[in-house]
């Protein structure tokens, strides 16, 4: 009888653990989707700024500022993604 109770307890705990793993995987997937969405927004904003820069007289300075903003935003997203990858390992 004690073995049966121990087996049932172990089965319950493994079920809870697998449910927690599924929730963790869903959270990681949601975070990756958020990062991908933000990355797409950064790229779209850069494309719009780049297009606007070509209408100005000081094109190179404008493009440099746009690239720096894009680089900073993408670096932050890359840092977040690396953090997720490290936690997943």
């Amino acid at each position: 009888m004690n073995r049966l109770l121990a087996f049932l307890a172990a089965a319950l705990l493994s079920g809870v653990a697998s449910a927690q793993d599924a929730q963790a995987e869903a959270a990681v997937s949601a975070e990756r989707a958020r990062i991908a969405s933000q990355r797409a927004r950064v790229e779209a904003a850069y494309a719009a700024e780049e297009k606007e820069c070509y209408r100005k007289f000081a094109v190179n300075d404008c493009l440099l500022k746009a690239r720096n903003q894009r680089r900073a935003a993408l670096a932050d997203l890359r840092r977040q993604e690396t953090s997720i990858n490290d936690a997943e390992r």
Side-chain angles (χ1 to χ4, degrees):
M1 185 68 160
N2 286 338
R3 288 184 183 176
L4 179 62
L5 288 175
F7 176 74
L8 290 174
L12 270 173
L13 289 176
S14 69
V16 168
S18 65
Q20 288 175 346
D21 289 343
Q23 287 177 346
E25 287 179 29
V28 168
S29 294
E31 189 66 15
R32 287 186 191 278
R34 181 192 64 80
I35 290 172
S37 173
Q38 283 186 335
R39 184 173 283 129
R41 273 188 259 148
V42 166
E43 292 294 344
Y46 173 71
E49 283 184 53
E50 186 180 37
K51 186 177 180 179
E52 191 61 33
C53 285
Y54 285 111
R55 295 182 182 182
K56 295 181 180 182
F57 179 73
V59 173
N60 289 333
D61 188 46
C62 182
L63 288 174
L64 182 63
K65 287 179 185 177
R67 283 186 201 120
N68 287 338
Q69 289 174 347
R70 174 180 168 230
R71 189 176 300 120
L74 290 178
D76 184 48
L77 292 173
R78 209 171 296 119
R79 181 193 53 77
Q80 292 174 24
E81 193 171 34
T82 301
S83 174
I84 291 171
N85 291 342
D86 289 345
E88 202 171 38
R89 288 184 209 140

